[in-house]
Amino acid sequence: MKLPGRFGLLPQLLVGFAGAGVLVLILLFSGNRMLESSSERLVDTLERHVRPLARLHGLQARVGNLRNMELELGHLDDVFALQSHIARLRSEISTLDREIGAFSIVLGKQAPNEAQRLAGHWREYRSRLEAQARLAAEMDLAGVRGITAAGSHISYLSIQALLTEVAEQTETAADAAYQKATREQQAQRKEFLWLVLLGGMVIFIGLAYSGQSVVRRVGILHEHAQKLAAGEESGNIVIARHDEIGDLAEAFGTMRQQVLTRETALRASQVELEQRVHERTADLKSANRRLVRFSQVVEQNPVGILIARIGGTVEFVNPAFCRITGRIPEDIIEQPLIEIMRTADPLDADNAMRVAISGSIWEIEQPSRRGDGAYWERLRLGSVHDEKGRPTHLLLSCEDITEQRTQMEKITYQAHYDLLTGLPNRVLANDRLIQAVSRARRDGGKAGAMYLDLDNFKEVNDTLGHAVGDALLRQVAQRLTAAVRGEDVVARLGGDEFLIVAGGLVHGDEAAAVAEKVIAAFAEPFMVDDRELTSSPSIGIAIYPDDGTEPMVLLRNADLAMYEAKDSGRNMYRFYNRSIHDLSLQRLEIGRCLRGALERHELHVVYHPLVRADSGCIIGSEALLRWNSPELGEVQPSTFIPVAEQNGLIVDLGRWVLREACATLARWRLQQDAFVMAVNVSPRQFRSSGFVAMVRDCLTEFDVPPRQLEIEITEGLLLRNQGEVRVILEELHDLGVRLSMDDFGTGYSSLSYLREFPFHTVKIDRSFINDVSEDRSDRALVIAAVRMAQALGLQIIAEGVETDEQWSFLMAQDCDILQGFRFGQPVTESNFGKTWVNARVVRPDGDPVARDLPFIPV
Amino acid sequence: MARNQWLRMTIGLSWLAVSIGPSISLAGEQGERALAAVKAMIAAGEVRKDATIKVAFKSGNIAALLGPGLELQNDWEQRTGVMINARVIPQQPALLNLKANPDIDLTVARTHEFPDLLEQGLVEDLTPMAKQFGFTIDGNPPKGYIRPRLQAYVGDKLVAIPADGDILMLYLRLDMLESPVEKAAFRKIHGRELAIPKTWQDYEQLIQFFHRPQQGMYGSAEQRERESAWMLWMPRYLSQGYPQRKLFDDKLTPLIDSPAGIAATESYIRTVRYSPPDILGDGKDYSYTLPLFMQGKVFATMFTIAGAKLLNSAASPVRGKFTTVPIPGTRIDKRLVRRNLPIYGNNLVVSTKGAQRKLAFLFTMWLTDPDTSLRTVGVKGGFTDPFRWNHVNDARLREMYTDEALAVFAKEWDIAVLPGTGLPGDGDYLDALNQHLWLAASGKQSAAEAMRRTAQEWDKITQRQGREKLLPWLKTFNAGLVNSDAAPAAAK
């Protein structure tokens, strides 16, 4: 409410500040004027006196510098510095010429005589300098020094003296101007200080009056407020109401009345409240006892329990929760539940809370970590509701399920991995192959199944024991894993068989590259218990989709290709192709027909003569097995013997052949007492149990002298498991049986074999005899073999003799025995008995050795 | 950017605009790669953008290497942001300068000083840096460095970047040679035609003929002062055998006191009698001999091709009156053997103690770029001489040096060999040789005595240095006598 004559605080302050402001402005304006005036005077002084002075000093310095350059020029000690010095000198002359010209114009306005003198001196000095520069360019430094000494210094000193004189005059004038400007400035400063003092006093008085009025009235209000706070009667406030402090006093009076009324009502309410508190306290005590019971249950529960507010902040955890999670309560209480749950994806925890609040139970099993390491936990999250069914809290239970998980993982691992090598086992390998095929099918690419078998693992296991075999397998697994590509899978299928699944192939050749790396990885010997072991792989490769579209078909075809690799000489890889498949079928068919062939009398033995080279006498024969199958016709030994070797039938067949040969020998001995019978023995038969006993029994049964039976084995037999072979050979040797190395020259042709093992005879392979007439190297080899055998005291048999020329050559080399078509085809027992036993062949040179033997005109 | 940098840049740009004008151009491929390498180092944080390369050059070298008005320095600083702090060092061996200024990154060294600098670990083996940044210091035309194996390497180590090709040339007064009167007089006295000398003997005959002191004309003004005596003795000595006479045998026994060494010394001191009277005075180096030739007071002088640049300048009184010819040789079994060598050779070396060695190396690669270096060689009156094959064919330089001088210059490199001894202690060896040559030239020792005493002192120096230590250095030096830089003759 406004009263007549009212003059509020704001107008009072505004008027006060406005007055002070005006005063300050006046002061500032006056000060500024004084500064401007002072500045103008200084500028004027600078313009009129100081600048010319500075210019003069600059000119003096430049002239001095020019003089220095002049002096230096005559004393330069390096002619290559001359040009740059001359250039600088000329540049300086030019610059100074311009500056002195400009200065002379200014000087001419004040002192024309001096300006004229300066121009004259400069012209003279400049001409001398130019002459010096010219001489220096001609490298006449003596001439330069002559000018310097002769007269240039006079011109220089004249210029400097004149410039100094002008400078002194200018300096005197400048000094006077400066004194005057200083005096005027001091007077103005004094005036300004008086003005500032006056203004300050006016402002002080105004502020003191206003302050005193406000402080007095605020003091009255303060006194009444203190009395009201103390509950004392203070009476009415008397303050004139012409401004805001008066308004405040009136409002304070009204407030004082209202406070007194409310205080009475509050006292009545207090009595009622105390009654209610008493009742409520009794209820709380009862509830508290129940809570203690529940609390003990929760505290002692082995399951971890955590209670959080609906908002997600943790309120409580029991000791089991802390024990399982490895955390202390202080790290959990008041922390966000989402962080405590530690789910891999924070969204999972968020979702869990939504599920729990909606009334369902959310559950997860997850790996977690605590101080003593990693563990597995099962979390269940639900909600706690009030009596109206509204969720009030979240309840999280936590169980340590590490042991359950470990057991489960162990079972899973054992089901999918090979415990010896740690590689995937057959089950997982099949799964990976299926995956690789599926991916190749989807991407339009290729996948490879590579079946790998160790070539001599059985010997290692048999001779060195399973512990060494297992160690070798572990090292093989490591090398395989290191040799293949990152995306390939190496699995152990069992025994010494491995599978490499090569996925993501673009060309089948990539599998070949992997196979080559694998073979290369076996090049270095394996070290097992300080023993050096060599091993090699045979690898069969089948490619999806070329060699099969189903994983099992690929596996089978890779297996077939692996056998092909083994048959081709081992330590190599072979891709599956149709011929392998056909060959496989053919082998199966041959194997099927071969079973029972003996019983069905489909097999028979033929004999090929052995002829003395020097006399042409028949000294024996080689027994050869033939098969005439009703279903397959005449089957070549080279076709059915490997099948028999592979499926083990060779043992029975070999035994039968030996018996037939011994029986035949016994009959022929009646005609030719010293007749020798040679019988081929396959590696499998040789190593079969009871082989030596069987030979002994045979000799005994047919009463054949052991020295007339010659057992032929191939070099390949000696390559593996030499210890076992040596034992059998020595037993046969002790028995008195002759031992012959067949096909000499086609394999390793190791002299050491002949020396170390108890052989009697060496048979040179037919391939060397065939070309002995044309091929000088074959001739040399045959000569070397004969010499070597002679040196070792061995008998030599040359196979494949077909011509008289070959016979003559071999005879000339003192070869002992010949065998070949030169003497006819192998024939049946009856034909051989009629034709060859106790017979003789005429030598190529027609040497008629008079013997009482049948003559064979072949 | 600091205000003074703006100021420098502004001044630099203004200067370039005014003084170079349209001739300024970007550096060539080598220079651009050096600039790119610097920027890459800055971008990678390997060096600070405001890094500074400290260079130290002798008096007069600053303008010759950084351009008049420091135009090349300004160009480099603008393009890389890397500053050049150039200081002047005294005219003394690089060994002393590097020891006295351990904080510098880059300086110049003469070719014969390399072994001492390398052995004392004062200069950087630049081979790894050249490999790191992909630079090849080759002598291939049309733009390669001239004979880098002579000027930049010790064995297989790259120790310097060539920046000045200081091969010796013989300057003769052409007008006097072609004067019919002189020709007739010469034929009358010597019975043969007056001609450019092929052998040292011819040369002595010629300067004897033109030596007329009473007319103010001297026969020869070859440097005969103490400090540089070896430079003009070496061509005489080296040409005493084929392919060249060696200073030591394989066991470091000096060979200079042999008859060949004495003959070379006698040839060296015989010119004194046909020289101006002060020729033996201390400090009477090329700054004494070249002005005499320019002022027409001597018939012959011997100096690097920088002499041609000065003598052919517009102010030269002998411009058009002199000819530049190959230095003479010695006739051995009807074969004329001539041997030349880079006597000064201001090559850029990087100090091992410098803080910015890589930047310094890159700066040298930029500075000696085929295009950039045309601006240093082309400095009027400067000492920097052609050191790349493209310099020889540059039209502006041909105008400056004369076609004839550049043609002789290019050809003389074919017979150039390594200067100095090639051994650590080279400074001591050459000091001893200089001293005795000077004494011999002054008539205080005979040629034989001078060589004998020098050989004795060389033996002592060898003992002091350690003979076994020096033998591998000698082997390296001798291997370098074979010209492994041979460039196709067509390029020269």
Side-chain angles (χ1 to χ4, degrees), chain A residues 76-81 83-84 134 137-141, chain B residues 91 286-287 291 294-295 303 306 310 315 380-383:
Chain A
L76 282 177
D77 58 0
D78 192 329
V79 291
F80 291 105
Q83 290 292 340
S84 62
R134 201 164 46 249
E138 294 169 6
M139 294 194 187
D140 185 1
L141 296 183
Chain B
Q91 290 279 6
Y286 55 81
S287 291
M294 185 188 259
Q295 290 154 24
F303 193 58
L310 290 182
K380 281 185 184 171
F383 71 85

PDB file of all heavy atoms in Angstrom, chain A residues 76-81 83-84 134 137-141, chain B residues 91 286-287 291 294-295 303 306 310 315 380-383:
ATOM      1  N   LEU A  76      90.111  -9.038 -46.431  1.00  0.00           N
ATOM      2  CA  LEU A  76      89.519 -10.385 -46.530  1.00  0.00           C
ATOM      3  C   LEU A  76      90.618 -11.381 -46.884  1.00  0.00           C
ATOM      4  O   LEU A  76      91.438 -11.133 -47.757  1.00  0.00           O
ATOM      5  CB  LEU A  76      88.436 -10.424 -47.614  1.00  0.00           C
ATOM      6  CG  LEU A  76      87.095  -9.825 -47.216  1.00  0.00           C
ATOM      7  CD1 LEU A  76      86.141  -9.865 -48.399  1.00  0.00           C
ATOM      8  CD2 LEU A  76      86.486 -10.573 -46.047  1.00  0.00           C
ATOM      9  N   ASP A  77      90.630 -12.518 -46.175  1.00  0.00           N
ATOM     10  CA  ASP A  77      91.697 -13.481 -46.414  1.00  0.00           C
ATOM     11  C   ASP A  77      91.262 -14.629 -47.306  1.00  0.00           C
ATOM     12  O   ASP A  77      91.994 -15.574 -47.508  1.00  0.00           O
ATOM     13  CB  ASP A  77      92.234 -14.034 -45.076  1.00  0.00           C
ATOM     14  CG  ASP A  77      91.131 -14.676 -44.278  1.00  0.00           C
ATOM     15  OD1 ASP A  77      89.983 -14.680 -44.754  1.00  0.00           O
ATOM     16  OD2 ASP A  77      91.420 -15.178 -43.175  1.00  0.00           O
ATOM     17  N   ASP A  78      90.047 -14.557 -47.819  1.00  0.00           N
ATOM     18  CA  ASP A  78      89.583 -15.645 -48.692  1.00  0.00           C
ATOM     19  C   ASP A  78      88.901 -15.027 -49.901  1.00  0.00           C
ATOM     20  O   ASP A  78      87.904 -14.321 -49.771  1.00  0.00           O
ATOM     21  CB  ASP A  78      88.593 -16.553 -47.941  1.00  0.00           C
ATOM     22  CG  ASP A  78      88.329 -17.822 -48.723  1.00  0.00           C
ATOM     23  OD1 ASP A  78      88.375 -17.774 -49.970  1.00  0.00           O
ATOM     24  OD2 ASP A  78      88.073 -18.862 -48.085  1.00  0.00           O
ATOM     25  N   VAL A  79      89.461 -15.290 -51.078  1.00  0.00           N
ATOM     26  CA  VAL A  79      88.912 -14.644 -52.274  1.00  0.00           C
ATOM     27  C   VAL A  79      87.476 -15.074 -52.545  1.00  0.00           C
ATOM     28  O   VAL A  79      86.725 -14.378 -53.216  1.00  0.00           O
ATOM     29  CB  VAL A  79      89.782 -14.955 -53.515  1.00  0.00           C
ATOM     30  CG1 VAL A  79      91.109 -14.267 -53.421  1.00  0.00           C
ATOM     31  CG2 VAL A  79      89.948 -16.445 -53.713  1.00  0.00           C
ATOM     32  N   PHE A  80      87.091 -16.271 -51.981  1.00  0.00           N
ATOM     33  CA  PHE A  80      85.726 -16.711 -52.236  1.00  0.00           C
ATOM     34  C   PHE A  80      84.700 -15.986 -51.382  1.00  0.00           C
ATOM     35  O   PHE A  80      83.511 -16.152 -51.558  1.00  0.00           O
ATOM     36  CB  PHE A  80      85.630 -18.223 -52.021  1.00  0.00           C
ATOM     37  CG  PHE A  80      86.387 -18.975 -53.072  1.00  0.00           C
ATOM     38  CD1 PHE A  80      87.604 -19.567 -52.791  1.00  0.00           C
ATOM     39  CD2 PHE A  80      85.886 -19.058 -54.363  1.00  0.00           C
ATOM     40  CE1 PHE A  80      88.308 -20.230 -53.767  1.00  0.00           C
ATOM     41  CE2 PHE A  80      86.595 -19.723 -55.340  1.00  0.00           C
ATOM     42  CZ  PHE A  80      87.805 -20.304 -55.054  1.00  0.00           C
ATOM     43  N   ALA A  81      85.176 -15.228 -50.401  1.00  0.00           N
ATOM     44  CA  ALA A  81      84.253 -14.419 -49.616  1.00  0.00           C
ATOM     45  C   ALA A  81      84.070 -13.047 -50.250  1.00  0.00           C
ATOM     46  O   ALA A  81      83.216 -12.266 -49.838  1.00  0.00           O
ATOM     47  CB  ALA A  81      84.769 -14.276 -48.190  1.00  0.00           C
ATOM     48  N   GLN A  83      83.091 -11.926 -53.335  1.00  0.00           N
ATOM     49  CA  GLN A  83      81.891 -11.590 -54.113  1.00  0.00           C
ATOM     50  C   GLN A  83      80.718 -11.235 -53.218  1.00  0.00           C
ATOM     51  O   GLN A  83      80.016 -10.255 -53.446  1.00  0.00           O
ATOM     52  CB  GLN A  83      81.520 -12.767 -55.022  1.00  0.00           C
ATOM     53  CG  GLN A  83      82.483 -13.001 -56.168  1.00  0.00           C
ATOM     54  CD  GLN A  83      82.458 -11.893 -57.209  1.00  0.00           C
ATOM     55  OE1 GLN A  83      81.497 -11.142 -57.282  1.00  0.00           O
ATOM     56  NE2 GLN A  83      83.529 -11.776 -57.975  1.00  0.00           N
ATOM     57  N   SER A  84      80.499 -12.071 -52.185  1.00  0.00           N
ATOM     58  CA  SER A  84      79.355 -11.792 -51.321  1.00  0.00           C
ATOM     59  C   SER A  84      79.586 -10.494 -50.545  1.00  0.00           C
ATOM     60  O   SER A  84      78.650  -9.728 -50.298  1.00  0.00           O
ATOM     61  CB  SER A  84      79.098 -12.962 -50.377  1.00  0.00           C
ATOM     62  OG  SER A  84      80.213 -13.157 -49.551  1.00  0.00           O
ATOM     63  N   ARG A 134      84.979  -1.937 -57.199  1.00  0.00           N
ATOM     64  CA  ARG A 134      85.443  -2.302 -58.538  1.00  0.00           C
ATOM     65  C   ARG A 134      86.798  -3.021 -58.455  1.00  0.00           C
ATOM     66  O   ARG A 134      87.009  -4.060 -59.063  1.00  0.00           O
ATOM     67  CB  ARG A 134      85.558  -1.035 -59.383  1.00  0.00           C
ATOM     68  CG  ARG A 134      85.546  -1.281 -60.869  1.00  0.00           C
ATOM     69  CD  ARG A 134      85.270  -0.011 -61.653  1.00  0.00           C
ATOM     70  NE  ARG A 134      86.062   1.136 -61.201  1.00  0.00           N
ATOM     71  CZ  ARG A 134      85.579   2.209 -60.578  1.00  0.00           C
ATOM     72  NH1 ARG A 134      84.268   2.274 -60.320  1.00  0.00           N
ATOM     73  NH2 ARG A 134      86.354   3.201 -60.199  1.00  0.00           N
ATOM     74  N   ALA A 137      86.466  -6.503 -57.029  1.00  0.00           N
ATOM     75  CA  ALA A 137      85.956  -7.469 -58.003  1.00  0.00           C
ATOM     76  C   ALA A 137      87.087  -7.985 -58.875  1.00  0.00           C
ATOM     77  O   ALA A 137      87.035  -9.108 -59.373  1.00  0.00           O
ATOM     78  CB  ALA A 137      84.865  -6.832 -58.855  1.00  0.00           C
ATOM     79  N   GLU A 138      88.115  -7.148 -59.058  1.00  0.00           N
ATOM     80  CA  GLU A 138      89.292  -7.591 -59.830  1.00  0.00           C
ATOM     81  C   GLU A 138      90.327  -8.237 -58.912  1.00  0.00           C
ATOM     82  O   GLU A 138      91.462  -8.501 -59.321  1.00  0.00           O
ATOM     83  CB  GLU A 138      89.910  -6.392 -60.550  1.00  0.00           C
ATOM     84  CG  GLU A 138      88.991  -5.820 -61.610  1.00  0.00           C
ATOM     85  CD  GLU A 138      89.494  -4.470 -62.152  1.00  0.00           C
ATOM     86  OE1 GLU A 138      90.614  -4.075 -61.766  1.00  0.00           O
ATOM     87  OE2 GLU A 138      88.747  -3.845 -62.913  1.00  0.00           O
ATOM     88  N   MET A 139      89.954  -8.451 -57.664  1.00  0.00           N
ATOM     89  CA  MET A 139      90.809  -9.065 -56.649  1.00  0.00           C
ATOM     90  C   MET A 139      92.048  -8.218 -56.345  1.00  0.00           C
ATOM     91  O   MET A 139      93.061  -8.728 -55.855  1.00  0.00           O
ATOM     92  CB  MET A 139      91.247 -10.467 -57.060  1.00  0.00           C
ATOM     93  CG  MET A 139      90.115 -11.442 -57.141  1.00  0.00           C
ATOM     94  SD  MET A 139      90.753 -13.089 -57.232  1.00  0.00           S
ATOM     95  CE  MET A 139      89.277 -14.001 -57.526  1.00  0.00           C
ATOM     96  N   ASP A 140      91.961  -6.925 -56.608  1.00  0.00           N
ATOM     97  CA  ASP A 140      93.095  -6.045 -56.305  1.00  0.00           C
ATOM     98  C   ASP A 140      92.873  -5.470 -54.915  1.00  0.00           C
ATOM     99  O   ASP A 140      92.476  -4.307 -54.761  1.00  0.00           O
ATOM    100  CB  ASP A 140      93.188  -4.946 -57.366  1.00  0.00           C
ATOM    101  CG  ASP A 140      94.427  -4.078 -57.175  1.00  0.00           C
ATOM    102  OD1 ASP A 140      95.197  -4.369 -56.215  1.00  0.00           O
ATOM    103  OD2 ASP A 140      94.612  -3.143 -57.955  1.00  0.00           O
ATOM    104  N   LEU A 141      93.150  -6.291 -53.891  1.00  0.00           N
ATOM    105  CA  LEU A 141      92.883  -5.845 -52.532  1.00  0.00           C
ATOM    106  C   LEU A 141      93.890  -4.802 -52.074  1.00  0.00           C
ATOM    107  O   LEU A 141      93.593  -3.979 -51.212  1.00  0.00           O
ATOM    108  CB  LEU A 141      92.879  -7.053 -51.589  1.00  0.00           C
ATOM    109  CG  LEU A 141      91.774  -8.071 -51.866  1.00  0.00           C
ATOM    110  CD1 LEU A 141      91.810  -9.174 -50.833  1.00  0.00           C
ATOM    111  CD2 LEU A 141      90.403  -7.417 -51.861  1.00  0.00           C
TER     112      LEU A 141
ATOM    113  N   GLN B  91      88.869 -21.387 -39.787  1.00  0.00           N
ATOM    114  CA  GLN B  91      89.493 -22.136 -40.876  1.00  0.00           C
ATOM    115  C   GLN B  91      90.525 -23.072 -40.270  1.00  0.00           C
ATOM    116  O   GLN B  91      91.703 -22.757 -40.192  1.00  0.00           O
ATOM    117  CB  GLN B  91      90.168 -21.171 -41.861  1.00  0.00           C
ATOM    118  CG  GLN B  91      89.240 -20.341 -42.674  1.00  0.00           C
ATOM    119  CD  GLN B  91      88.684 -21.079 -43.870  1.00  0.00           C
ATOM    120  OE1 GLN B  91      88.906 -22.266 -44.036  1.00  0.00           O
ATOM    121  NE2 GLN B  91      87.907 -20.394 -44.691  1.00  0.00           N
ATOM    122  N   TYR B 286      95.510 -19.798 -52.071  1.00  0.00           N
ATOM    123  CA  TYR B 286      94.851 -19.448 -53.330  1.00  0.00           C
ATOM    124  C   TYR B 286      94.386 -17.994 -53.335  1.00  0.00           C
ATOM    125  O   TYR B 286      94.218 -17.397 -54.380  1.00  0.00           O
ATOM    126  CB  TYR B 286      93.679 -20.402 -53.615  1.00  0.00           C
ATOM    127  CG  TYR B 286      92.658 -20.472 -52.507  1.00  0.00           C
ATOM    128  CD1 TYR B 286      91.667 -19.514 -52.372  1.00  0.00           C
ATOM    129  CD2 TYR B 286      92.677 -21.524 -51.595  1.00  0.00           C
ATOM    130  CE1 TYR B 286      90.741 -19.588 -51.359  1.00  0.00           C
ATOM    131  CE2 TYR B 286      91.748 -21.605 -50.586  1.00  0.00           C
ATOM    132  CZ  TYR B 286      90.773 -20.631 -50.452  1.00  0.00           C
ATOM    133  OH  TYR B 286      89.858 -20.700 -49.455  1.00  0.00           O
ATOM    134  N   SER B 287      94.171 -17.439 -52.119  1.00  0.00           N
ATOM    135  CA  SER B 287      93.764 -16.037 -52.070  1.00  0.00           C
ATOM    136  C   SER B 287      94.917 -15.112 -52.453  1.00  0.00           C
ATOM    137  O   SER B 287      94.736 -13.918 -52.663  1.00  0.00           O
ATOM    138  CB  SER B 287      93.255 -15.674 -50.669  1.00  0.00           C
ATOM    139  OG  SER B 287      92.041 -16.336 -50.451  1.00  0.00           O
ATOM    140  N   PRO B 291      94.393 -14.060 -57.302  1.00  0.00           N
ATOM    141  CA  PRO B 291      94.393 -12.643 -57.711  1.00  0.00           C
ATOM    142  C   PRO B 291      95.565 -12.307 -58.635  1.00  0.00           C
ATOM    143  O   PRO B 291      95.414 -11.521 -59.570  1.00  0.00           O
ATOM    144  CB  PRO B 291      94.493 -11.898 -56.384  1.00  0.00           C
ATOM    145  CG  PRO B 291      93.880 -12.812 -55.395  1.00  0.00           C
ATOM    146  CD  PRO B 291      94.265 -14.181 -55.850  1.00  0.00           C
ATOM    147  N   MET B 294      94.571 -13.439 -61.958  1.00  0.00           N
ATOM    148  CA  MET B 294      93.477 -12.606 -62.486  1.00  0.00           C
ATOM    149  C   MET B 294      94.001 -11.241 -62.934  1.00  0.00           C
ATOM    150  O   MET B 294      93.529 -10.677 -63.928  1.00  0.00           O
ATOM    151  CB  MET B 294      92.401 -12.435 -61.408  1.00  0.00           C
ATOM    152  CG  MET B 294      91.177 -11.694 -61.913  1.00  0.00           C
ATOM    153  SD  MET B 294      90.043 -11.307 -60.600  1.00  0.00           S
ATOM    154  CE  MET B 294      88.831 -12.558 -60.811  1.00  0.00           C
ATOM    155  N   GLN B 295      95.001 -10.737 -62.207  1.00  0.00           N
ATOM    156  CA  GLN B 295      95.527  -9.409 -62.551  1.00  0.00           C
ATOM    157  C   GLN B 295      96.589  -9.489 -63.649  1.00  0.00           C
ATOM    158  O   GLN B 295      97.229  -8.487 -63.974  1.00  0.00           O
ATOM    159  CB  GLN B 295      96.105  -8.760 -61.293  1.00  0.00           C
ATOM    160  CG  GLN B 295      95.038  -8.352 -60.283  1.00  0.00           C
ATOM    161  CD  GLN B 295      95.563  -8.299 -58.862  1.00  0.00           C
ATOM    162  OE1 GLN B 295      96.762  -8.131 -58.662  1.00  0.00           O
ATOM    163  NE2 GLN B 295      94.666  -8.460 -57.907  1.00  0.00           N
ATOM    164  N   PHE B 303      94.615 -24.743 -59.591  1.00  0.00           N
ATOM    165  CA  PHE B 303      93.594 -24.677 -58.540  1.00  0.00           C
ATOM    166  C   PHE B 303      92.396 -25.514 -58.978  1.00  0.00           C
ATOM    167  O   PHE B 303      92.388 -26.071 -60.067  1.00  0.00           O
ATOM    168  CB  PHE B 303      93.183 -23.208 -58.287  1.00  0.00           C
ATOM    169  CG  PHE B 303      92.382 -23.040 -57.024  1.00  0.00           C
ATOM    170  CD1 PHE B 303      92.904 -23.435 -55.788  1.00  0.00           C
ATOM    171  CD2 PHE B 303      91.092 -22.518 -57.047  1.00  0.00           C
ATOM    172  CE1 PHE B 303      92.156 -23.302 -54.636  1.00  0.00           C
ATOM    173  CE2 PHE B 303      90.355 -22.381 -55.887  1.00  0.00           C
ATOM    174  CZ  PHE B 303      90.886 -22.773 -54.684  1.00  0.00           C
ATOM    175  N   ALA B 306      86.862 -23.939 -59.134  1.00  0.00           N
ATOM    176  CA  ALA B 306      86.365 -22.668 -58.600  1.00  0.00           C
ATOM    177  C   ALA B 306      87.157 -21.508 -59.177  1.00  0.00           C
ATOM    178  O   ALA B 306      86.660 -20.385 -59.305  1.00  0.00           O
ATOM    179  CB  ALA B 306      86.472 -22.665 -57.075  1.00  0.00           C
ATOM    180  N   LEU B 310      85.876 -17.713 -60.814  1.00  0.00           N
ATOM    181  CA  LEU B 310      86.342 -16.374 -60.474  1.00  0.00           C
ATOM    182  C   LEU B 310      86.965 -15.691 -61.693  1.00  0.00           C
ATOM    183  O   LEU B 310      86.682 -14.526 -61.988  1.00  0.00           O
ATOM    184  CB  LEU B 310      87.382 -16.455 -59.355  1.00  0.00           C
ATOM    185  CG  LEU B 310      86.880 -16.840 -57.966  1.00  0.00           C
ATOM    186  CD1 LEU B 310      88.035 -16.824 -56.983  1.00  0.00           C
ATOM    187  CD2 LEU B 310      85.796 -15.877 -57.496  1.00  0.00           C
ATOM    188  N   ALA B 315      84.119  -8.992 -63.906  1.00  0.00           N
ATOM    189  CA  ALA B 315      85.126  -7.999 -63.552  1.00  0.00           C
ATOM    190  C   ALA B 315      86.554  -8.482 -63.794  1.00  0.00           C
ATOM    191  O   ALA B 315      87.503  -7.738 -63.581  1.00  0.00           O
ATOM    192  CB  ALA B 315      84.959  -7.625 -62.071  1.00  0.00           C
ATOM    193  N   LYS B 380      77.364 -16.870 -57.258  1.00  0.00           N
ATOM    194  CA  LYS B 380      78.451 -16.127 -57.895  1.00  0.00           C
ATOM    195  C   LYS B 380      79.579 -15.909 -56.904  1.00  0.00           C
ATOM    196  O   LYS B 380      79.348 -15.450 -55.785  1.00  0.00           O
ATOM    197  CB  LYS B 380      77.943 -14.776 -58.382  1.00  0.00           C
ATOM    198  CG  LYS B 380      77.185 -14.889 -59.687  1.00  0.00           C
ATOM    199  CD  LYS B 380      76.797 -13.507 -60.187  1.00  0.00           C
ATOM    200  CE  LYS B 380      75.949 -13.650 -61.433  1.00  0.00           C
ATOM    201  NZ  LYS B 380      75.367 -12.383 -61.852  1.00  0.00           N
ATOM    202  N   GLY B 381      80.791 -16.226 -57.328  1.00  0.00           N
ATOM    203  CA  GLY B 381      81.947 -16.012 -56.474  1.00  0.00           C
ATOM    204  C   GLY B 381      82.072 -17.005 -55.354  1.00  0.00           C
ATOM    205  O   GLY B 381      83.023 -16.971 -54.596  1.00  0.00           O
ATOM    206  N   GLY B 382      81.110 -17.915 -55.201  1.00  0.00           N
ATOM    207  CA  GLY B 382      81.160 -18.903 -54.131  1.00  0.00           C
ATOM    208  C   GLY B 382      82.134 -20.022 -54.480  1.00  0.00           C
ATOM    209  O   GLY B 382      82.485 -20.211 -55.637  1.00  0.00           O
ATOM    210  N   PHE B 383      82.548 -20.782 -53.470  1.00  0.00           N
ATOM    211  CA  PHE B 383      83.557 -21.794 -53.720  1.00  0.00           C
ATOM    212  C   PHE B 383      82.932 -23.129 -54.104  1.00  0.00           C
ATOM    213  O   PHE B 383      83.628 -24.028 -54.544  1.00  0.00           O
ATOM    214  CB  PHE B 383      84.431 -22.004 -52.486  1.00  0.00           C
ATOM    215  CG  PHE B 383      83.700 -22.683 -51.384  1.00  0.00           C
ATOM    216  CD1 PHE B 383      83.605 -24.063 -51.351  1.00  0.00           C
ATOM    217  CD2 PHE B 383      83.047 -21.940 -50.402  1.00  0.00           C
ATOM    218  CE1 PHE B 383      82.894 -24.690 -50.352  1.00  0.00           C
ATOM    219  CE2 PHE B 383      82.341 -22.559 -49.425  1.00  0.00           C
ATOM    220  CZ  PHE B 383      82.259 -23.943 -49.395  1.00  0.00           C
TER     221      PHE B 383
END
